[in-house]
Amino acid sequence: MASSRNHQEAHGIGQIEEQLQQQADAAKAIQGSNETDREIAEAVKSDKHTSLDEIAGNKE
């Protein structure tokens, strides 16, 4: 039962991430992007450890 629940939660998280990406893309299309937006997008794509990881408890 837990496996099924985990699968459903993972699927739901994937849907949420997709929806958020669509919203971000729509906002970018409407407003354009700025340097900060580009820096954030690059940071998300990279696997670099940041001070935000430490705050979030994602220490490696």
Side-chain angles (χ1 to χ4, degrees):
M1 189 73 162
S3 177
S4 177
R5 183 182 324 153
N6 289 343
H7 178 75
Q8 289 175 347
E9 288 175 1
H11 181 69
I13 290 169
Q15 288 179 324
I16 291 168
E17 289 174 340
E18 182 178 336
Q19 186 177 25
L20 289 173
Q21 185 60 54
Q22 290 172 353
Q23 290 174 354
D25 292 343
K28 184 177 175 182
I30 293 168
Q31 300 173 5
S33 65
N34 62 33
E35 183 63 27
T36 303
D37 292 336
R38 287 187 288 276
E39 289 174 2
I40 291 170
E42 286 300 316
V44 168
K45 289 179 186 177
S46 74
D47 289 331
K48 291 190 233 175
H49 178 79
T50 67
S51 57
L52 289 176
D53 292 320
E54 293 176 21
I55 293 169
N58 298 328
K59 298 178 184 174
E60 294 182 351

